[in-house]
Short mmCIF file of all heavy atoms in Angstrom, two decimals:
data_model
loop_
_atom_site.label_atom_id
_atom_site.label_comp_id
_atom_site.label_asym_id
_atom_site.label_seq_id
_atom_site.Cartn_x
_atom_site.Cartn_y
_atom_site.Cartn_z
N GLY Q 101 -100.51 105.65 -94.51
CA GLY Q 101 -101.05 105.47 -95.85
C GLY Q 101 -101.01 106.72 -96.71
O GLY Q 101 -101.64 106.78 -97.76
N LEU Q 123 -68.52 119.05 -100.71
CA LEU Q 123 -68.53 119.34 -102.14
C LEU Q 123 -68.64 120.84 -102.39
O LEU Q 123 -69.23 121.57 -101.58
CB LEU Q 123 -69.72 118.63 -102.81
CG LEU Q 123 -69.43 117.26 -103.43
CD1 LEU Q 123 -68.95 116.28 -102.39
CD2 LEU Q 123 -70.66 116.72 -104.15
N GLU Q 124 -68.09 121.28 -103.51
CA GLU Q 124 -68.29 122.65 -103.97
C GLU Q 124 -69.50 122.65 -104.91
O GLU Q 124 -69.93 121.61 -105.39
CB GLU Q 124 -67.07 123.15 -104.73
CG GLU Q 124 -65.75 123.05 -103.98
CD GLU Q 124 -65.63 124.07 -102.85
OE1 GLU Q 124 -66.34 125.11 -102.90
OE2 GLU Q 124 -64.86 123.81 -101.92
N ALA Q 139 -79.15 114.68 -100.63
CA ALA Q 139 -79.81 115.29 -101.78
C ALA Q 139 -80.40 116.66 -101.42
O ALA Q 139 -80.33 117.60 -102.21
CB ALA Q 139 -80.90 114.36 -102.32
N THR Q 183 -69.05 107.27 -113.04
CA THR Q 183 -67.74 107.13 -113.68
C THR Q 183 -67.76 107.75 -115.07
O THR Q 183 -66.86 108.49 -115.45
CB THR Q 183 -67.34 105.64 -113.76
OG1 THR Q 183 -67.29 105.13 -112.43
CG2 THR Q 183 -65.98 105.47 -114.41
N PRO Q 240 -75.94 90.30 -93.81
CA PRO Q 240 -74.94 91.14 -93.16
C PRO Q 240 -73.72 91.41 -94.04
O PRO Q 240 -73.47 90.67 -95.00
CB PRO Q 240 -74.54 90.32 -91.93
CG PRO Q 240 -74.81 88.90 -92.31
CD PRO Q 240 -75.99 88.94 -93.25
N ARG Q 241 -73.00 92.41 -93.67
CA ARG Q 241 -71.79 92.83 -94.38
C ARG Q 241 -70.84 91.64 -94.59
O ARG Q 241 -70.23 91.49 -95.64
CB ARG Q 241 -71.20 94.00 -93.61
CG ARG Q 241 -69.72 94.14 -93.39
CD ARG Q 241 -68.91 94.36 -94.64
NE ARG Q 241 -67.50 94.48 -94.29
CZ ARG Q 241 -66.62 93.48 -94.40
NH1 ARG Q 241 -66.99 92.31 -94.82
NH2 ARG Q 241 -65.37 93.68 -94.08
N ALA Q 251 -62.96 99.30 -97.90
CA ALA Q 251 -62.00 100.32 -98.36
C ALA Q 251 -60.82 99.69 -99.09
O ALA Q 251 -60.33 100.24 -100.08
CB ALA Q 251 -61.52 101.14 -97.17
N LEU Q 270 -67.60 114.95 -88.61
CA LEU Q 270 -66.39 115.73 -88.85
C LEU Q 270 -65.35 114.89 -89.59
O LEU Q 270 -64.69 115.37 -90.52
CB LEU Q 270 -65.81 116.24 -87.52
CG LEU Q 270 -66.71 117.21 -86.75
CD1 LEU Q 270 -65.98 117.72 -85.51
CD2 LEU Q 270 -67.16 118.38 -87.61
#
Side-chain angles (χ1 to χ4, degrees):
Chain Q
L123 265 61
E124 305 288 338
T183 300
R241 139 65 180 99
L270 297 184

